Amino acid sequence: MLKIAVMGSGKGSNFQAIMHAINDGRIPNAQVVLVISNNSKAGILEIGRSWGIPSIHLSTQECGSEEKFIGNLLDALQKHEVNCVVLAGYMKRIPHKVIAAYRNRILNIHPALLPRHGGKGMYGMHVHESVIASGDHVSGATVHLVDEEYDRGKILLQREVPVSKDETPESLATKVLAVEHLIYPEAIRLFAKGNASAMNDTGKKEN
Ligand code: GRF
């Protein structure tokens, strides 16, 4: 069973899409057991609570130091037996110690076709502005694994979106977000399935 912690800083519309997919039975073998936000007012915490999931505010600022934050984060993940972290609009960098503890088990979604328009500073509207400025005729969304380099981890799933002639960053953001809501649940389904078959191959049982 995939026990997921979702981390986000904002609205949480991707998280909501994932919850609907789990609730509809579209992602067997997965449950969200914890929601974490660095922003106490983030909509994603409200959504988590509305689904009855423990939803907590955790940030470096609130913990007083980066070290304490990392300790509290790892404690919370362990306490809830999390074995997969899903970043859904999380605007902070994941500390290296956490990446190492959850190697190949942290997923992120990026609102462009990586490796294009990724890396430091490429978030939110900056991404869509960059796509339009470059004259690309297609953009899209990418689900990838998180490693120590920004937006460079293994790509799990991508889907394209056409960029029209009169496209604005805002209109492109709307189209890409709609695709994000489709591919993130699908990528998690495939990840959970891959996990299960990898387990069967080795004959090991995991929870
Ligand atoms: C999405 O565009 C995602 O690609 C980016 O942040 C946004 C999150 O939106 N990383 P939401 O909080 O899921 O609504």
Side-chain angles (χ1 to χ4, degrees), residues 153-167:
K154 184 183 172 199
I155 290 172
L156 301 179
L157 197 60
Q158 289 187 305
R159 192 164 301 168
E160 292 182 358
V161 159
V163 179
S164 52
K165 277 204 196 93
D166 55 353
E167 203 77 72

Side-chain angles (χ1 to χ4, degrees), residues 78-156:
Q78 269 156 27
K79 180 178 153 205
H80 292 274
E81 299 179 336
V82 168
N83 54 21
C84 174
V85 177
V86 167
L87 306 182
Y90 188 65
M91 302 303 276
K92 296 276 178 190
R93 191 165 194 159
I94 299 294
H96 286 188
K97 204 170 165 186
V98 178
I99 295 176
Y102 283 86
R103 175 84 48 209
N104 295 328
R105 292 187 158 271
I106 306 178
L107 278 61
N108 184 42
I109 190 153
H110 185 80
L113 294 176
L114 290 176
R116 287 187 68 67
H117 311 290
K120 203 165 166 29
M122 279 294 167
Y123 61 88
M125 235 15 115
H126 299 298
V127 178
H128 306 298
E129 282 160 5
S130 165
V131 171
I132 290 171
S134 71
D136 287 1
H137 295 297
V138 285
S139 189
T142 304
V143 179
H144 65 96
L145 294 176
V146 172
D147 64 17
E148 284 80 356
E149 264 190 277
Y150 265 122
D151 297 331
R152 299 299 293 210
K154 184 183 172 199
I155 290 172
L156 301 179

Side-chain angles (χ1 to χ4, degrees), residues 1-7 14-15 18-19 21-22 27-36 44 53-55 76-78 80-88 102 105-107 184-185 187-193 195 206-207:
M1 173 62 85
L2 215 56
K3 291 190 172 183
I4 299 170
V6 173
M7 296 179 74
N14 275 290
F15 169 47
I18 292 163
M19 285 311 299
I22 290 176
I27 316 180
N29 310 321
Q31 56 176 311
V32 177
V33 296
L34 181 63
V35 179
I36 300 170
I44 198 165
I53 300 166
S55 302
L77 297 174
Q78 269 156 27
H80 292 274
E81 299 179 336
V82 168
N83 54 21
C84 174
V85 177
V86 167
L87 306 182
Y102 283 86
R105 292 187 158 271
I106 306 178
L107 278 61
Y184 217 172
I188 294 168
R189 185 185 74 78
L190 293 170
F191 185 79
K193 202 173 138 197
N195 244 37
E206 193 186 280
N207 52 20

